[in-house]
Amino acid sequence: MADAKVIPFDDDRSRTRRRPVRDDGREAAVRALPAQAAVPEPAAGEGQEPRPGAGAAPRAGWDRALAGGLAFLRRRVTGEYEVDEFGYDEELTDQVLMSLLRPVAEKYFRVEVKGVENIPKDGGALVVANHSGTLPLDGLMMQVAVHDHHPAGRHLRLLAADLVFMLPVINELARKAGHTLACAEDAERLLRAGEIVGVMPEGFKGIGKPFAERYKLQRFGRGGFVSTALRAGVPIVPCSIVGAEEIYPMLGNAKTLARLLGLPYFPLTPTFPWLGPLGALPLPTKWTIQFGEPIPTDGYPLEAAEDPMLMFNLTDQVREQIQHTLYKLLVQRRSVFF
């Protein structure tokens, strides 16, 4: 071995062991010494060469990461990557967008995820959640929760409002992250393709409600999401999110300014707009995202999607389940921030 330390044959210690033994006791004692006692090992760190492969694993890991990063950049530059018909870029989402959102979920909001196993391991499902927080960070955190905690590593495809796809840069990022327009046609196509689709039926009524109405669910529209689930024959998974209501406590709404800017509302919070850009930083609240027991829809006939009474009953059932879980999580919560 190239790095093995070889003791020369003419070393003094070697001659001592091989010298003819005379009758005096001193030589007999030397002969009786074991080899390891006769040739003491050098002290740790003295004259020793590094073991073969020491530090090779970390270097190999860095090399693989660098090679993967360069390959990713090459595919981005040359256009050798795939997107689906909605513009979803799975590679970009996994390697970049989730990597940016994950520290926010784990370190800043410290999101605790419960019941994610209620989302099917395969096939389509419609996740229905409450909506709050002035800015739609709850949808992004729910996306991270499914992506990182589901046993099958599934992806959540969110249905977003028209406004999202009218904003420059945000429009492109939303498409790349798998979001699509909140319409029944797109949702049904995704569900029939076996995707997990997320919807927040409260819309702007939920995300822009005043702080005094926190955790009180707004109207769930006309139950269009139930009709979509019935047509696709997929289960509905209620989802309750606690913690988002307090990130931007909305104390008022500058309606005139909102109309001038073409926004559904212009929030006034304890920090925004008074502190400028710093006021846009969300408060570091402690979040809990809980996925409830799925509500099956595959047992209904095809014409059930046109039954307004059935849609009303199922919509009310989903809403009540989310509201009940919100109350339960609020009772269990020790603090807004801990």
Side-chain angles (χ1 to χ4, degrees):
M1 291 174 50
D3 58 345
K5 187 170 182 177
V6 179
I7 299 176
F9 180 76
D10 61 349
D11 184 90
D12 288 339
R13 291 170 294 180
S14 298
R15 288 202 303 270
T16 301
R17 289 196 301 271
R18 290 167 175 79
R19 200 161 23 187
V21 179
R22 294 195 295 268
D23 290 335
D24 60 69
R26 183 168 53 89
E27 292 295 337
V30 170
R31 184 179 61 176
L33 288 174
Q36 60 266 38
V39 187
E41 291 293 332
E46 291 185 7
Q48 293 184 1
E49 298 180 10
R51 291 176 299 168
R59 285 198 300 271
W62 280 108
D63 290 345
R64 283 194 298 270
L66 179 60
L70 292 175
F72 173 80
L73 291 175
R74 180 185 61 79
R75 289 192 294 273
R76 293 288 119 186
V77 172
T78 60
E80 297 177 4
Y81 58 90
E82 296 181 356
V83 299
D84 68 6
E85 58 181 312
F86 297 95
Y88 173 49
D89 188 334
E90 183 174 346
E91 182 185 50
L92 181 70
T93 300
D94 288 348
Q95 297 193 21
V96 178
L97 300 181
M98 287 295 110
S99 297
L100 295 174
L101 292 172
R102 188 171 294 116
V104 179
E106 294 180 353
K107 306 298 183 183
Y108 196 78
F109 293 132
R110 295 146 292 147
V111 178
E112 181 182 359
V113 180
K114 299 180 178 181
V116 71
E117 65 278 1
N118 287 319
I119 297 176
K121 293 182 179 179
D122 49 43
L126 184 65
V127 177
V128 182
N130 59 305
H131 205 14
S132 62
T134 306
L135 290 181
L137 296 180
D138 51 358
L140 298 177
M141 294 301 102
M142 186 168 63
Q143 192 174 9
V144 175
V146 175
H147 181 275
D148 286 1
H149 294 271
H150 194 277
R154 303 207 63 181
H155 296 80
L156 180 67
R157 308 289 295 271
L158 289 170
L159 302 181
D162 300 6
L163 180 62
V164 172
F165 301 102
M166 295 169 59
L167 300 173
V169 182
I170 299 296
N171 168 30
E172 186 68 19
L173 287 175
R175 289 287 185 187
K176 294 287 187 183
H179 306 174
T180 191
L181 192 64
C183 65
E185 292 78 12
D186 285 0
E188 188 173 346
R189 284 162 63 194
L190 285 170
L191 291 171
R192 290 188 182 278
E195 298 285 352
I196 302 295
V197 177
V199 62
M200 295 172 160
E202 290 178 282
F204 289 124
K205 299 188 303 294
I207 198 174
K209 64 177 177 288
F211 188 65
E213 297 180 15
R214 60 192 179 279
Y215 299 114
K216 296 178 181 178
L217 293 183
Q218 306 297 300
R219 185 170 172 269
F220 269 22
R222 300 177 181 177
F225 68 91
V226 170
S227 176
T228 301
L230 286 168
R231 287 193 179 93
V234 299
I236 299 172
V237 181
C239 177
S240 302
I241 304 173
V242 165
E245 293 276 14
E246 295 90 359
I247 60 173
Y248 296 111
M250 188 167 165
L251 305 180
N253 177 17
K255 295 182 180 179
T256 302
L257 188 55
R259 283 195 297 268
L260 290 174
L261 297 175
L263 301 175
Y265 54 86
F266 189 90
L268 302 176
T269 75
T271 59
F272 184 82
W274 329 115
L275 299 182
L278 185 62
L281 187 68
L283 296 177
T285 57
K286 175 73 172 63
W287 288 36
T288 301
I289 299 179
Q290 179 162 334
F291 299 93
E293 291 285 341
I295 300 171
T297 65
D298 53 355
Y300 294 96
L302 293 177
E303 60 271 16
E306 308 300 330
D307 185 346
M309 199 55 161
L310 176 62
M311 284 194 295
F312 174 80
N313 290 336
L314 285 177
T315 300
D316 192 56
Q317 180 182 350
V318 174
R319 187 178 180 278
E320 286 300 317
Q321 188 167 334
I322 295 173
Q323 184 70 80
H324 176 73
T325 304
L326 285 175
Y327 288 147
K328 184 172 68 174
L329 292 174
L330 288 171
V331 169
Q332 296 171 352
R333 183 169 67 167
R334 295 180 302 167
S335 165
V336 172
F337 299 101
F338 304 103

